[in-house]
Amino acid sequence: MRIFERRESEVRGYIRSFPAIFDTAKGALLYDEQGKRYVDFFSGAGTLNYGHNNPDITGALIAYLEGHGVIHGLDKATVAKRNFLQKLEDTILLPRHLDYKVQFTGPTGTNAVETALKLARLVKQRSSILAFTNAYHGLTMGALAVTGNSFYRDESYGIRANTAFMPYDGYLGPEVDTIDYLRRYLEDGSSGLDLPAAAIVETVQAEGGVNVARDEWLQDLEHLCREFDILLIVDDIQAGNGRTGPFFSFERAGITPDMVTMSKSIGGGLPLALLLMRPELDQWQPGEHTGTFRGNNLAFVAATEALRYWDNDKLSDAVLFKGAIMKEALESMLEKSPGCELRGCGMIWGLDLKKNGAAKEVSKAAFEKGMLIETSGCDSQVLKLLPPLTIEEPLLKEGLNIIDEALEETVRSKTVFAVGSAL
Ligand code: PMP
């Protein structure tokens, strides 16, 4: 028995979906220890928007290490932190006229979500939080309480208090405006819904099946939140960092959230998470919310370098260009797979195969052909395409061809697509 099976917890997941021993990686390619090459359409679940071992990022890290730069600093002031904050201000915040303060949380997405929920409750002095169906915000207790998928939950955790789920855009079908639905609950003093401190939302639900909220829906949500004095938190952990085109995923809707959670690609591949908040919400006492690994200085160095991609519009233009290639290829796959549905924007796309577990089969076949691709949705029915934003066009097309072949060999050959077949 290998050391993994012998010693690593049963909780291990991706090691099962992608059963290779990976060794090296560059850009959109991963190699296993036998040297087999894999096109990466998974990107560490959105962490590698700038590719594996991006040469500029790696170069900056090596120089920092060789110069004996501070690695661990708690939240002390360091040159690396100053450089990052300055770069974020100059390149991201000021050009977008966004006035946010930055809180460094523990280095994972769920830490940023915990912080946002805790701060919203503290500021508003209300304990209730509103979340949306199919949401994914992380798996520590607070974040798990606003995550929809029952697979991650167990009644024994006893964590559902003080949260309420409302239908996301489109959840009740195209005819129902779910903001009207929510409005009715908020207006009616006997609806049973407590006035929440905050609503937390993803503009694109990546784990939840690649559900894209419409711009108008996001705008209406923002208005509703303002009207009822509810803080609006956008969780941009997976959809941010250019995944949908602009740096922040909410830019397309022209909304200004009160708080934004960021992680995954913000660290250029290294662990880093932050909470952006309107300055007046920054009501913490010094040291009131801490964590040993808040100041990941190596990640600050990587993040500062990664933000140079935002010195101009080249990356966001490339995302829209390559996103259009993905859309076109997927639409032609869709023609051969009746009953399926395509959703997405920028460089996040989901092919909903409308059958439980179907995406898992496709992902497995694609893996055998040298590709990493993830599934999403509560029943692993959606194939989720998430290549690095920096992927070269030929590799992107190679990956899209592999998906087409994998679809052909699995679901299409088994003719699982009855027209109109639904879950
Ligand atoms: N929010 C969103 C939108 C995510 O996609 C994820 C991770 N998939 C998280 C939060 C949690 O991040 P982490 O796994 O780093 O805790």
Side-chain angles (χ1 to χ4, degrees):
M1 200 196 258
R2 302 183 313 169
I3 187 82
F4 305 108
E5 287 80 17
R6 202 166 66 240
R7 284 290 163 209
E8 196 182 352
S9 160
E10 290 307 309
V11 79
R12 63 194 189 277
Y14 293 123
I15 189 174
R16 301 173 203 261
S17 336
F18 306 121
I21 301 185
F22 297 104
D23 194 17
T24 59
K26 187 98 181 64
L29 291 172
L30 268 166
Y31 297 87
D32 69 15
E33 63 180 347
Q34 276 80 38
K36 183 173 173 189
R37 165 185 180 274
Y38 297 85
V39 182
D40 191 354
F41 265 40
F42 178 30
S43 303
T47 306
L48 297 159
N49 284 7
Y50 308 104
H52 290 267
N53 286 315
N54 180 296
D56 296 333
I57 296 175
T58 309
L61 288 172
I62 291 170
Y64 188 74
L65 287 168
E66 283 182 346
H68 309 293
V70 170
I71 303 289
H72 182 259
L74 284 162
D75 69 350
K76 295 195 286 286
T78 60
V79 171
K81 181 155 84 174
R82 182 176 62 203
N83 291 347
F84 171 71
L85 283 169
Q86 192 65 57
K87 184 74 189 153
L88 186 76
E89 180 174 271
D90 293 344
T91 308
I92 304 297
L93 300 179
L94 291 179
R96 289 167 181 76
H97 309 290
L98 290 170
D99 186 14
Y100 285 131
K101 288 195 72 185
V102 183
Q103 179 173 359
F104 297 109
T105 68
T108 66
T110 200
N111 289 131
V113 170
E114 293 288 340
T115 310
L117 302 182
K118 198 169 148 185
L119 183 63
R121 286 169 163 141
L122 183 74
V123 169
K124 289 293 171 199
Q125 289 292 298
R126 290 177 223 140
S127 61
S128 177
I129 303 281
L130 197 83
F132 291 94
T133 49
N134 283 309
Y136 186 97
H137 297 293
L139 299 185
T140 51
M141 296 305 233
L144 179 55
V146 286
T147 289
N149 193 337
S150 60
F151 171 71
Y152 299 112
R153 276 185 281 121
D154 192 285
E155 207 279 319
S156 66
Y157 300 159
I159 51 156
R160 276 298 160 130
N162 308 325
T163 56
F165 281 80
M166 282 285 151
Y168 191 70
D169 190 20
Y171 187 76
L172 298 173
E175 298 81 31
V176 181
D177 182 339
T178 61
I179 297 293
D180 286 346
Y181 184 97
L182 173 56
R183 169 179 291 283
R184 176 85 185 104
Y185 271 80
L186 289 168
E187 278 172 353
D188 181 2
S190 57
S191 67
L193 182 74
D194 293 325
L195 182 64
I200 182 162
V201 70
E202 298 152 273
T203 66
V204 179
Q205 293 183 320
E207 301 296 333
V210 191
N211 309 311
V212 185
R214 288 167 304 123
D215 291 354
E216 311 82 73
W217 188 84
L218 291 167
Q219 289 154 5
D220 290 349
L221 177 63
E222 183 186 47
H223 290 149
L224 196 68
C225 285
R226 301 275 178 267
E227 198 180 322
F228 285 87
D229 186 34
I230 299 165
L231 294 172
L232 178 61
I233 306 169
V234 168
D235 180 346
D236 231 9
I237 287 168
Q238 190 158 162
N241 290 290
R243 178 52 62 185
T244 65
F247 182 79
F248 293 111
S249 72
F250 54 83
E251 287 179 57
R252 67 173 160 96
I255 61 169
T256 309
D258 298 296
M259 297 189 208
V260 183
T261 54
M262 305 216 73
S263 187
K264 297 200 187 261
S265 285
I266 190 73
L270 271 65
L272 183 65
L274 11 138
L275 175 66
L276 304 178
M277 64 197 126
R278 281 199 292 109
E280 45 298 15
L281 300 177
D282 187 18
Q283 294 176 19
W284 296 116
Q285 299 298 316
E288 193 179 354
H289 185 80
T290 69
T292 305
F293 284 107
R294 279 168 299 160
N296 184 354
N297 280 268
L298 259 192
F300 289 150
V301 172
T304 307
E305 194 58 39
L307 286 181
R308 283 158 56 92
Y309 273 97
W310 298 93
D311 287 343
N312 52 50
D313 293 334
K314 275 193 199 151
L315 184 67
S316 46
D317 290 348
V319 170
L320 299 180
F321 177 75
K322 286 183 260 187
I325 296 177
M326 292 169 76
K327 182 167 185 251
E328 198 186 323
L330 288 163
E331 274 169 352
S332 84
M333 292 179 216
L334 206 61
E335 275 170 29
K336 296 182 260 177
S337 316
C340 296
E341 193 183 313
L342 180 63
R343 298 186 292 267
C345 61
M347 283 176 76
I348 174 165
W349 289 92
L351 196 56
D352 190 339
L353 303 170
K354 304 277 184 189
K355 184 176 182 290
N356 293 9
K360 246 191 193 149
E361 273 187 69
V362 183
S363 167
K364 190 164 179 280
F367 179 72
E368 276 152 25
K369 293 173 180 301
M371 152 171 273
L372 265 70
I373 186 159
E374 182 38 342
T375 67
S376 82
C378 58
D379 298 307
S380 293
Q381 77 281 25
V382 181
L383 197 64
K384 184 172 76 171
L385 287 77
L386 213 67
L389 307 182
T390 51
I391 191 170
E392 300 85 353
E393 215 180 302
L395 260 189
L396 179 68
K397 289 182 173 159
E398 183 184 328
L400 291 164
N401 282 336
I402 295 178
I403 296 171
D404 195 23
E405 285 169 22
L407 278 168
E408 193 62 49
E409 277 175 27
T410 53
V411 282
R412 257 188 237 136
S413 64
K414 292 184 193 158
T415 59
V416 292
F417 303 114
V419 176
S421 70
L423 280 174

